[in-house]
Amino acid sequence: MSTKGNWSPPAVSGRLFTLGLVASWYSSNIGVLLLNKYLLSNYGFKYPIFLTMCHMTACSLLSYVAIAWMRVVPMQAVRSRLQFAKIVALSLVFCGSVVSGNVSLKYLPVSFNQAVGATTPFFTAVFAYIMTVKREAWITYVTLIPVVAGVVIASGGEPSFHLFGFIMCIGATAARALKSVLQGILLSSEGEKLNSMNLLLYMAPIAVVLLLPATLVLEQNVVGITLALAREDMKIIWFLLFNSTLAYFVNLTNFLVTKHTSALTLQVLGNAKGAVAVVVSILIFKNPVTVTGMFGYTITVIGVILYSEAKKRNK
């Protein structure tokens, strides 16, 4: 049989398109993470709630453009007040996750932040067990031991460990897992299911409404301070605009990569993405790392891979 068909122009262009999507997904994910760290820690812009609100504003506007004008996906309507109330609940948890994650970046290096974030499967399993009474096979729970043990080891070997930053990072990771479980419970019926792009279209404006009073109370005069900074250094405005746009592209590329690859490919790429972010952040920020810290992170990543494999085999 001829193999020429495997290398036909459409097949090659399809592969290049998928590679381009993956590269864009990695770039936007790692880019927004590093830029958040730079703004909140190195640049000295100490307003994580306002930064998150900028992200959500960009997500609101760009989601509308992508769905209503460019028709990247068909628009799905909210069908009832109950469905809307469920989306508000998800938005609240989503806000908590993103704000806590950004706060943690003020105090922790990206490498340690990613190590803690890798424990998401542990919290997902805990919340699923509590809220849905869903039982996994015993081997699946065993694989969570290295996930948690690795972070404990990494914490002990982290030269830049900060307790408040660590608590915020754990909170962000737990909230991310809670949102995933809640989404499966609240929007489970066929009439209420929304794809990730439409869910973002509705969640992002709600998030802005929730974050506005928080930033006004907890980060007083943040707009005035930002404008004053801009008069001294106009780059802050460009940083915020670029960072906020990147935050939207994280969601867009995640949706497109999910659509154009398999679930297994997505799992592998997701596990590798955290490791790439760690290496890139260490090269850029030159934060000190220890053998103990890297050993702990490696154990956590291995645990996540084993957990994914156990879940797949016991479906």
Side-chain angles (χ1 to χ4, degrees):
M1 184 185 288
S2 172
T3 57
K4 285 183 180 178
N6 293 334
W7 297 97
S8 63
V12 173
S13 63
R15 289 191 190 96
L16 289 175
F17 177 71
T18 303
L19 283 173
L21 281 180
V22 172
S24 300
W25 183 46
Y26 267 47
S27 301
S28 57
N29 267 272
I30 295 170
V32 79
L33 182 67
L34 298 181
L35 196 46
N36 282 350
K37 174 64 179 174
Y38 175 74
L39 284 169
L40 293 166
S41 187
N42 297 61
Y43 189 87
F45 186 78
K46 303 182 186 301
Y47 305 102
I49 302 175
F50 180 72
L51 181 63
T52 306
M53 193 176 78
C54 290
H55 289 180
M56 293 301 108
T57 302
C59 286
S60 302
L61 296 172
L62 293 173
S63 290
Y64 186 79
V65 169
I67 295 174
W69 293 356
M70 297 176 68
R71 303 189 185 282
V72 173
V73 293
M75 184 176 283
Q76 296 172 283
V78 174
R79 297 171 182 271
S80 66
R81 288 183 181 179
L82 179 60
Q83 186 185 13
F84 181 73
K86 291 175 180 179
I87 294 171
V88 171
L90 286 173
S91 299
L92 189 59
V93 178
F94 183 50
C95 284
S97 171
V98 179
V99 170
S100 298
N102 285 339
V103 170
S104 76
L105 285 171
K106 282 178 67 175
Y107 304 100
L108 298 177
V110 171
S111 52
F112 187 54
N113 177 281
Q114 288 296 286
V116 176
T119 61
T120 302
F122 169 76
F123 290 102
T124 303
V126 170
F127 286 128
Y129 186 89
I130 293 169
M131 299 173 71
T132 67
V133 202
K134 183 182 178 184
R135 305 289 185 268
E136 301 286 354
W138 66 271
I139 191 66
T140 306
Y141 293 115
V142 169
T143 61
L144 292 172
I145 295 172
V147 172
V148 177
V151 167
V152 172
I153 294 168
S155 301
E158 176 52 54
S160 308
F161 183 83
H162 189 286
L163 182 59
F164 179 69
F166 177 69
I167 292 168
M168 286 291 101
C169 198
I170 287 286
T173 307
R176 190 160 54 244
L178 177 61
K179 176 187 168 286
S180 174
V181 175
L182 271 177
Q183 190 172 327
I185 297 169
L186 298 180
L187 301 178
S188 57
S189 68
E190 283 303 316
E192 291 185 332
K193 278 184 182 174
L194 297 171
N195 63 47
S196 60
M197 295 300 293
N198 274 276
L199 186 59
L200 183 67
L201 173 67
Y202 293 115
M203 280 203 312
I206 296 168
V208 173
V209 172
L210 294 171
L211 290 167
L212 182 59
T215 194
L216 290 175
V217 172
L218 300 173
E219 299 175 338
Q220 292 181 4
N221 198 30
V222 63
V223 175
I225 293 167
T226 304
L227 292 174
L229 278 171
R231 281 192 285 271
E232 295 175 16
D233 183 7
M234 191 62 188
K235 282 190 295 186
I236 184 63
I237 300 298
W238 294 112
F239 279 145
L240 289 173
L241 286 172
F242 181 61
N243 192 25
S244 300
T245 305
L246 264 186
Y248 170 71
F249 277 97
V250 168
N251 292 280
L252 176 63
T253 54
N254 184 67
F255 172 79
L256 292 173
V257 168
T258 305
K259 184 179 177 182
H260 289 276
T261 63
S262 67
L264 178 60
T265 304
L266 196 67
Q267 278 182 359
V268 173
L269 290 171
N271 292 331
K273 178 167 59 65
V276 172
V278 167
V279 172
V280 173
S281 72
I282 292 170
L283 291 173
I284 291 175
F285 297 111
K286 300 187 175 9
N287 57 282
V289 291
T290 63
V291 174
T292 306
M294 293 311 294
F295 176 65
Y297 178 60
T298 303
I299 289 175
T300 294
V301 172
I302 290 170
V304 170
I305 293 168
L306 292 173
Y307 171 81
S308 300
E309 189 64 25
K311 286 268 289 183
K312 188 176 70 174
R313 290 188 177 213
N314 288 290
K315 271 187 178 178

